[in-house]
Amino acid sequence: MLGNILLAVVGTIVGIGIALGAFVAFIGDIRLLPTYLYDDAVVFRSGNGDILFWQSEYSTPLEDPFEILSVHRLQLDEIGFRLPARVADDYTVVTLGDSYTEGANVARPWADVFASETGLATRNLGFRGYGTQHYEYIWETYGQAENPDIVILGFFGANDIATGGLDLSPPFPTPRESRAQDAPAIPVTTRADIDVPIIYPITLENGEPLTFLTDYISWMNADENTLLQSVNYNVIRENLTTIYDTADDDTCMVFVYLPSKPEVYFPYVQPQFYDAILQDQKHVLLNNNGTLHIVEDFEITLDKVLNNRPSTGNVMMDLADDIGYETLNLIDAFDSAAAEGEMLFYAYDTHPNQAGQTLAGETIAEFVENTCV
């Protein structure tokens, strides 16, 4: 009897091995197997980096733009939000945020890491392109219905500050409606035909190659006084206040500042690259209508960028604290990791890699457990 069971087990293992061998022989990389098993499997390649999409003219073409960085499932709920790894009938925690929170190009976004660390069922209501006006609408339309004990708002300074100056009016399309307009993700294989000097990749102190999105460095030039005087700041204050005031009195409201790649890694660039990076950088000033915008024709110095690096995080943390949120700035955890040479973002993309998402989720989990639970 035992012998028959062992033969069956060995036969099964051999059969699986033959099947996998055939897959590799005829199809290719074994990591692509999920794409043949699931309709919602995502392949994120080095050439899919959004920095290449927006400014390939500044970068040397990749040696292998089809290099696989992640293969994972992106399961969606009926509205089009990313389905949590731990699906529940009722969610204790609701997260609000943009693409940083959605985490579409990693297997485990920080919300799933948080749920695993805390054991709390967590619904991820993050979606790309969102800002605080969207967060307010999504909270009122979908989040409140969960009656959560904890709300975590992930504020991404680079985009959310800019979005606050846009004239946006709800209702907004659902994520599913927005996804229906998506074009296939095609890796960028060539440099844009524009006569500008190549800047990237640069090298960090640890020797790792990296690229920055130019506009994110420009937004990092904002000083605290300019931010405080802007329409953007007032809109963000109104949105955050509405979300806070419409939650139950006993709901733990958490504001997390999510730093951009240059906020984390700009101090760790090898010095010889700074001059090229700072060329054509822009100042953040106020328009006649009080909204923030980035303008050229001003000299940007290394000292100015480094001094203003924490400005947005500081202003937003103070704002959220004043409203009543529990506040956590992830720049501290990310900066500590970057100082040790850890890579928390994809080299050619603005978003965190799995290491960055994991660090975010673990840090937020520890904070919430010490603050809310």
Side-chain angles (χ1 to χ4, degrees):
M1 179 68 175
L2 181 60
N4 291 336
I5 294 175
L6 289 175
L7 284 174
V9 171
V10 171
T12 301
I13 294 174
V14 170
I16 292 174
I18 293 173
L20 293 176
F23 180 88
V24 172
F26 292 100
I27 304 298
D29 198 312
I30 190 64
R31 291 174 293 177
L32 295 175
L33 180 59
T35 64
Y36 292 87
L37 301 176
Y38 308 106
D39 292 337
D40 52 22
V42 172
V43 181
F44 184 70
R45 302 177 185 272
S46 57
N48 292 134
D50 58 358
I51 293 176
L52 290 174
F53 177 82
W54 292 111
Q55 55 180 47
S56 65
E57 67 272 18
Y58 292 119
S59 298
T60 302
L62 298 180
E63 290 185 10
D64 182 10
F66 294 92
E67 176 191 4
I68 297 174
L69 302 180
S70 180
V71 180
H72 55 273
R73 298 183 69 184
L74 186 63
Q75 296 177 281
L76 307 177
D77 64 18
E78 67 279 3
I79 303 165
F81 290 110
R82 184 165 189 170
L83 200 65
R86 179 185 173 188
V87 179
D89 293 329
D90 299 295
Y91 290 97
T92 303
V93 182
V94 164
T95 70
L96 304 171
D98 65 356
S99 56
Y100 200 132
T101 296
E102 179 188 19
N105 53 12
V106 294
R108 299 177 70 219
W110 68 256
D112 281 351
V113 176
F114 169 89
S116 177
E117 292 288 314
T118 62
L120 301 174
T122 304
R123 187 178 185 194
N124 187 343
L125 295 182
F127 186 63
R128 63 169 189 256
Y130 277 3
T132 58
Q133 296 173 77
H134 301 90
Y135 305 160
E136 178 185 331
Y137 173 74
I138 293 302
W139 164 247
E140 293 178 337
T141 307
Y142 306 109
Q144 276 184 292
E146 299 292 347
N147 193 29
D149 296 331
I150 302 169
V151 175
I152 306 174
L153 190 150
F155 186 96
F156 182 51
N159 279 353
D160 287 355
I161 290 291
T163 306
L166 301 179
D167 185 13
L168 303 173
S169 299
F172 301 113
T174 67
R176 187 169 292 279
E177 290 169 339
S178 297
R179 293 180 195 276
Q181 308 302 315
D182 287 352
I186 301 175
V188 176
T189 58
T190 59
R191 182 186 178 214
D193 187 18
I194 300 176
D195 186 19
V196 295
I198 292 177
I199 300 174
Y200 298 109
I202 56 171
T203 308
L204 298 176
E205 291 174 348
N206 63 1
E208 290 287 340
L210 202 69
T211 59
F212 291 136
L213 188 65
T214 297
D215 280 357
Y216 282 5
I217 302 175
S218 296
W219 280 106
M220 202 169 66
N221 290 328
D223 62 77
E224 294 189 13
N225 287 332
T226 301
L227 291 170
L228 290 168
Q229 296 171 33
S230 68
V231 167
N232 307 54
Y233 177 85
N234 290 329
V235 168
I236 293 168
R237 172 182 280 277
E238 291 173 4
N239 300 147
L240 296 183
T241 300
T242 298
I243 295 170
Y244 185 90
D245 288 346
T246 53
D248 291 343
D249 291 340
D250 58 351
T251 303
C252 185
M253 304 295 290
V254 180
F255 177 94
V256 178
Y257 186 82
L258 308 171
S260 65
K261 188 196 290 187
E263 283 178 283
V264 176
Y265 284 104
F266 196 82
Y268 303 106
V269 171
Q270 290 188 1
Q272 66 266 28
F273 294 105
Y274 280 125
D275 286 344
I277 295 172
L278 293 176
Q279 288 183 13
D280 299 324
Q281 285 302 309
K282 305 175 180 70
H283 274 262
V284 178
L285 299 177
L286 294 174
N287 272 323
N288 292 333
N289 64 358
T291 58
L292 296 168
H293 68 133
I294 49 179
V295 294
E296 300 182 31
D297 301 327
F298 287 89
E299 181 181 357
I300 298 294
T301 66
L302 179 59
D303 286 343
K304 181 179 188 297
V305 176
L306 290 174
N307 289 336
N308 282 341
R309 171 181 172 240
S311 294
T312 302
N314 290 342
V315 168
M316 291 299 111
M317 290 285 286
D318 289 344
L319 169 58
D321 180 71
D322 184 57
I323 294 171
Y325 288 84
E326 304 290 346
T327 57
L328 170 65
N329 192 342
L330 284 184
I331 189 63
D332 299 321
F334 274 52
D335 186 63
S336 295
E340 295 296 323
E342 295 184 38
M343 293 304 302
L344 303 174
F345 291 78
Y346 288 116
Y348 288 86
D349 194 81
T350 60
H351 299 92
N353 58 21
Q354 188 59 70
Q357 289 281 354
T358 298
L359 178 60
E362 292 174 346
T363 306
I364 296 169
E366 181 180 5
F367 178 82
V368 169
E369 287 184 322
N370 291 332
T371 306
C372 301
V373 179

